[in-house]
Amino acid sequence: MAKMRRKGDLPTKDCLACGRPFAWRKKWERVWDEVRYCSDACRAARPRVASRGEAEAASPPRGRGR
């Protein structure tokens, strides 16, 4: 049987959406390096980066200013 670990001994990360720390979970064992958010709610509310097409559509047209 494996040696018991305390929860405080597990690795932690800070959530990119809410900024709170969260601890390693067994279900994240294989993908821990890819985990960025503490929950599904934070992943759904993650900050969106505007794509290039959206950024151009939102900016005013360039040209001669009158």
Side-chain angles (χ1 to χ4, degrees), residues 6-8 10 15 17-18 21 25 29 36 39-40 44 48-49 59 62-65:
R6 292 183 186 158
K7 192 168 186 171
L10 297 173
C15 179
C18 67
R25 294 184 183 177
E29 184 174 24
R36 295 194 234 159
S39 65
D40 290 336
R48 303 286 179 160
V49 177
S59 63
R62 295 183 185 175
R64 289 185 277 170

Side-chain angles (χ1 to χ4, degrees), residues 49-59:
V49 177
S51 66
R52 186 174 179 199
E54 292 174 10
E56 290 174 359
S59 63

